[in-house]
Structure formats: C-alpha cells, structure tokens
Amino acid sequence: MQEPMPHLLGLCAAIDRAAAGIYRKLADTEPDEKLRACWNQMSEEEDLHVTYWSRLTKMAAEGIVPPLFEDPDRVMAELESVARDVGTVEASAAQLGNVRDRALLALRLELCLLHPAFDTLMQFLSCLEPEAPDRYSEHLDGFLVALCEYTKGSPELDLIAKTTRQLWLRNRQLLKAANSDALTGLLNHRGFWTAVAPLAHLARRRAENVAVITLDVDGLKDINDELGHAAGDEVLKSVAGILRSALREADVACRLGGDEFVAFLIGVEPASLEAICQRIQAAVRACTVAGKPFAVSIGAAQGKLEGDVIAAVEQLRQESDQHMYTTKPRLRNRSAEPGHRPFRAPTHGRNLDA
C-alpha cells in the first residue's frame, strides 16, 4: 500500500496539472482577448499549485510532513473521485464553442477543486514557507469577477458563480471551526497539533530552540460558583486575549479545554521565555472580571527537538505542566497578591530525542 501523504500529494498535483491543461485549452480556442488572458492566468496559477505539491512531496520524502488527515484513506478516495471528475471535464474542454458553455465548464472545474484537502495542505505549506502563501481565495475571486464580466445577462451563471464562492467560504469556515475553540477563538487541541507539526519539523530542520508554556486558571470552579459561568467564560476569554498580546504572531496558542491553555514557541531562548511568562503574569495581575482579580499558574520548558518531533513537543508539554503544578501546593498556603505566580525555571539546553 502506498504511503498516505505522498499518494495524497500526487493526486493533488495530478488534479491541478489537469486543471492547468483545461485552462490552456480554453485559452488556445478563445477568440476574446481579455477572456483568453483570464484563462491563461488561471492556467498559470494552477501550474503554481502543482509546484507547491511537488515541494510538499519532497518534504514528505524527507519526513518533514506529518499526517494531516484523521482518515487519509477516505480523503484519498475522495480525491480519486475528484480526479475522475476533472478527467471528464478535460475530455470536453476543446469541444465547446460559446462563452456560456465554456464558462459553465470552468465553473464545474472549480467546483471539483473545492475539496478541503487542498486548503489543509496549502495552510500547512504556508507555515513552512511564508513566501508561498495560500492565494486560492484570490485565485477563485479573480476567476469569478472575470466570469461575471464576460457572461453578463445570464442569471443561471451568476447563481452558479455565487454558489461556488459560498461553498468555498463554507469549506474554510468548517475547517476553521474544526480547529478552533468557540469560546476564546484560540486553536483547540486538534488545531494546536495541526499548527505545531510543521513548525516543529522546521525547528528540527534548523536546529532551533523551541519552548512550551502551560497555563491554567486557578479556582475557575470557585469563580463559576460565586460569580456565575458567564464570569468564568469572561476569565477564559481574558486569558486568551492576554496570550495573544504576550506572544508573537508566529507562536501558537491553544485552549486545551476547561481552564488549561498551552503555547508553542519557536526560536526562543531561555531569557526571552522567562520574560514572556512574566509579561503574561503582569497582564493577569492588571486584569479583573466582574470587578474581581483572578490568578493563573504558569509552567514552561524548552529545548531542541530531535527524533520524533511530535513526541518531543509532547514531552516538553508534560514537563511544563509538571513545572506548573509543582508551584500550586506552595501557593495555596501563601498570601500573595492576586494573579502572582512565580515562573518555574524551564529545562535549559536540553535535546529531546523521543
């Protein structure tokens, strides 16, 4: 049986290669100069997508691309179906004479390419290669704008074009919802590991230091009991906002569930890590909900990743969790100002070879 990721990427490349060929056929037989330019641009963009999949295939061969799908066999079966549909479109591309039929064929092709696997892979590549951002939304929007300009007066085409864009936006919303915590807007457990995987592989490749910060809200149940669950929710949202402000844009923050949060940082040194944790503590001390302060506990661990990077990151997470909890019994018997939690020294200079 073929390895899932290389096979998936091969299917994506074959589908986009066929799409590029279809648009070239439309351009070669298009009498309208502006519409011909539109088809040529679509072809070039599909060729660019093929280069993305080729780069990811090479990375997969080097062990940099982790499994990105919970059920890769199902995704492969769906992509094989997409490939067959694109093949059917390709067979009829050169036989269409009028603008309306050619526009319908192009819309049918774009509907085939709305499978969420393309977006998942593109977002993964964007994490590894910021210079190769996901431009598929621009690709689709540009196509629909051009199509509407050259097919005016066709309510049917207008409806199909709008439906195509709505399907694409809904796919993106569903993908985001599957990876996000509804209350705080941070990533959820699944989204965290999806986002961390490419960054961890990149850190191992560059031999960069990484860190994990673990944080939880002290006495959230008491807050819920005394002030109500709405106040407890505000505390959690406040902590999420503090994490966003304290971390860099490239860092990954997540609500694991309940009162637990975790963050993954790449390219951070021990002194900087301690400063980040102190910045979080200071922000918590300055924050109140329903007129009352609240407290958090923070732990951190850092090192360089080797071997199985996902297992190594999980080991760091467990270490940071342990550092956080070793402060709790002492703190319960200490009269400290609300929100104050001493930073537990992280693991320094350690290579994690899982």
Side-chain angles (χ1 to χ4, degrees):
M1 184 177 177
Q2 291 177 290
E3 287 295 320
M5 288 310 299
H7 185 39
L8 274 169
L9 290 164
L11 280 170
C12 290
I15 290 167
D16 277 333
R17 194 176 294 112
I22 292 170
Y23 281 121
R24 276 193 293 272
K25 287 181 181 178
L26 292 177
D28 290 344
T29 56
E30 177 56 57
D32 185 288
E33 182 179 350
K34 290 184 178 180
L35 193 51
R36 183 167 63 250
C38 172
W39 300 140
N40 276 323
Q41 181 178 345
M42 295 296 289
S43 177
E44 290 170 4
E45 290 175 358
E46 295 296 354
D47 281 333
L48 183 60
H49 294 161
V50 174
T51 67
Y52 291 164
W53 310 142
S54 297
R55 291 211 293 276
L56 276 177
T57 299
K58 183 179 179 182
M59 293 176 190
E62 296 173 356
I64 297 173
V65 182
L68 296 175
F69 304 99
E70 292 184 356
D71 189 352
D73 290 338
R74 176 185 58 78
V75 176
M76 280 191 288
E78 291 172 356
L79 288 175
E80 286 167 353
S81 177
V82 170
R84 288 192 294 271
D85 290 341
V86 171
T88 302
V89 174
E90 187 175 19
S92 58
Q95 303 170 10
L96 302 173
N98 63 66
V99 171
R100 178 183 177 281
D101 289 345
R102 292 154 70 82
L104 280 171
L105 179 136
L107 277 169
R108 182 179 173 191
L109 174 60
E110 290 302 320
L111 282 168
C112 291
L113 300 177
L114 291 183
H115 194 284
F118 292 102
D119 194 34
T120 298
L121 291 167
M122 192 72 77
Q123 289 187 27
F124 175 83
L125 180 64
S126 297
C127 291
L128 286 178
E129 298 185 1
E131 69 278 9
D134 174 9
R135 293 197 179 103
Y136 190 75
S137 291
E138 296 175 21
H139 169 85
L140 183 60
D141 282 343
F143 165 69
L144 294 177
V145 168
L147 199 62
C148 289
E149 182 178 348
Y150 295 106
T151 57
K152 290 176 180 176
S154 174
E156 178 188 13
L157 279 176
D158 183 59
L159 176 61
I160 297 173
K162 289 179 179 178
T163 301
T164 301
R165 191 172 193 281
Q166 288 170 357
L167 283 172
W168 166 247
L169 291 175
R170 181 160 179 76
N171 277 348
R172 301 213 89 182
Q173 290 167 355
L174 289 172
L175 183 62
K176 182 178 180 180
N179 290 284
S180 299
D181 173 57
L183 177 65
T184 64
L186 296 180
L187 294 173
N188 59 19
H189 185 272
R190 173 182 173 180
F192 176 76
W193 287 109
T194 299
V196 163
L199 296 175
H201 281 82
L202 186 63
R204 183 183 66 180
R205 192 179 190 181
R206 297 176 176 174
E208 287 187 309
N209 211 57
V210 305
V212 173
I213 296 173
T214 305
L215 178 151
D216 75 12
V217 179
D218 293 337
L220 183 62
K221 183 179 183 302
D222 294 338
I223 294 172
N224 287 332
D225 291 344
E226 180 183 351
L227 302 175
H229 286 274
D233 288 348
E234 287 303 313
V235 168
L236 294 173
K237 288 190 281 188
S238 296
V239 171
I242 289 169
L243 280 176
R244 288 193 192 94
S245 298
L247 300 176
R248 303 164 301 179
E249 188 175 347
D251 299 328
V252 179
C254 157
R255 181 189 175 201
L256 286 180
D259 62 356
E260 294 183 85
F261 297 81
V262 65
F264 177 78
L265 301 81
I266 187 171
V268 61
E269 297 304 322
S272 299
L273 179 60
E274 183 166 358
I276 291 168
C277 290
Q278 290 173 346
R279 193 155 63 240
I280 293 171
Q281 291 171 334
V284 170
R285 285 196 294 272
C287 187
T288 61
V289 169
K292 294 192 176 183
F294 59 90
V296 298
S297 294
I298 302 176
Q302 60 84 32
K304 292 183 178 179
L305 304 176
E306 295 179 359
D308 183 337
V309 295
I310 300 303
V313 172
E314 173 59 19
Q315 185 177 338
L316 279 178
R317 191 198 66 78
Q318 291 177 9
E319 288 183 7
S320 69
D321 206 48
Q322 291 167 2
H323 294 164
M324 177 181 66
Y325 277 101
T326 56
T327 68
K328 281 185 176 287
R330 179 166 55 88
L331 287 166
R332 289 194 187 100
N333 298 318
R334 176 183 176 186
S335 57
E337 58 180 311
H340 177 71
R341 292 295 181 267
F343 171 74
R344 174 77 177 188
T347 306
H348 291 294
R350 177 175 181 179
N351 290 335
L352 297 175
D353 191 354

